[in-house]
Amino acid sequence: MVSEHSDASDASDGETAALALKILVAGGFGVGKTTLVGAVSEIRPLRTEELLSEAGQLVDDTGGVDQKVTTTVAMDFGRITIRSGLSLYLFGTPGQDRFWFLWDELSQGALGAVVLADTRRLEDCFPAVDYFEHRHIPFVVAVNCFAGARTYGAHDVSRALDLDRGTPVVLCDARDRDSGKEVLIRLVEYAGRMHTARLLDSVG
Ligand SMILES: Nc1nc2c(ncn2[C@@H]2O[C@H](COP(=O)(O)OP(=O)(O)OP(=O)(O)O)[C@@H](O)[C@H]2O)c(=O)[nH]1
Ligand SMILES: [Mg+2]
């Protein structure tokens, strides 16, 4: 789940070894996963975008995302340093159902996940919510507040998705670096609390 490495600078200034955590960015088709990873990443993000094909129109549900011309076919990858010694490696998942087979691979060793949601198509994030709940992978729901979408409070979204009590819901703008970073900090804090609670449970 967690990889630690120490490089020359860590060793010389006596800081603790750098920690790199793996985080997934998931959610339905066209909800802003690639946008979020691109907005927060301090390295040029790796993207695997392909044009939405005519053949794909038969199987992909593009309703509600008419402007979209490309889609992620494997994953997005980016990195962000949250504070000195703590980096997050971000893996954005493909949004379309036909790429579900990639999720098990991508979720290996993940500390937690961000499930992005669009309140105009909230049901699209049910599969991601189910996926992480079943695998006990801590996640936060981040509502990407698209212009023109009615604003719902975090509590409304939590109820509509029937989330377990305590699962954080955060409102965000996937295009905004600070907003995305805040979502990631909430996730790391939440996953940390869940991890500690499980450890305490396991020692009785
Ligand atoms: N207005 C607005 N547009 C957004 C926002 N986030 C993303 N977009 C637009 O919505 C479209 C979809 O964004 P992507 O980031 O490609 O979505 P995705 O979730 O990666 O999509 P898939 O990989 O195909 O599932 C793009 O045209 C973005 O420019 C947002 O917060 N506000
Ligand atoms: Mg994408």
Side-chain angles (χ1 to χ4, degrees):
M1 176 196 315
V2 172
S3 73
E4 285 191 35
H5 70 269
S6 57
D7 58 26
S9 58
D10 289 331
S12 60
D13 63 15
E15 279 186 22
T16 49
L19 201 58
L21 305 173
K22 179 178 180 180
I23 304 288
L24 295 185
V25 179
F29 173 58
V31 81
K33 302 175 292 294
T34 301
T35 304
L36 176 73
V37 173
V40 300
S41 183
E42 60 209 6
I43 55 170
R44 193 154 67 94
L46 168 77
R47 293 187 172 142
T48 58
E49 295 285 295
E50 290 293 341
L51 285 173
L52 279 163
S53 63
E54 277 187 31
Q57 280 175 11
L58 297 173
V59 280
D60 299 334
D61 179 10
T62 54
V65 278
D66 301 337
Q67 304 299 314
K68 208 162 146 57
V69 288
T70 63
T71 189
T72 303
V73 293
M75 65 169 194
D76 304 302
F77 177 74
R79 189 193 71 206
I80 178 173
T81 307
I82 292 293
R83 57 172 165 75
S84 169
L86 175 61
S87 314
L88 306 182
Y89 289 114
L90 306 174
F91 291 77
T93 60
Q96 296 175 78
D97 301 347
R98 62 199 164 105
F99 297 120
W100 264 98
F101 66 94
L102 288 166
W103 281 49
D104 287 340
E105 199 80 34
L106 284 174
S107 63
Q108 292 275 334
L111 172 90
V114 173
V115 175
L116 265 180
D118 175 353
T119 53
R120 296 165 303 179
R121 300 176 291 123
L122 206 51
E123 65 283 2
D124 288 7
C125 72
F126 280 136
V129 166
D130 278 352
Y131 184 91
F132 297 121
E133 277 182 354
H134 278 117
R135 286 162 183 79
H136 304 288
I137 297 175
F139 66 95
V140 300
V141 173
V143 179
N144 189 14
C145 300
F146 284 88
R150 212 189 114 193
T151 327
Y152 291 87
H155 187 66
D156 297 324
V157 173
S158 180
R159 236 188 3 209
L161 291 174
D162 194 22
L163 298 176
D164 290 341
R165 263 189 62 211
T167 303
V169 177
V170 201
L171 306 185
C172 76
D173 181 337
R175 300 163 300 177
D176 183 84
R177 182 167 202 275
D178 289 340
S179 176
K181 189 169 172 180
E182 207 169 302
V183 171
L184 294 167
I185 290 171
R186 281 291 291 277
L187 172 63
V188 171
E189 289 171 352
Y190 175 63
R193 286 201 301 276
M194 295 291 280
H195 194 61
T196 309
R198 275 178 207 159
L199 276 177
L200 290 175
D201 265 0
S202 68
V203 294

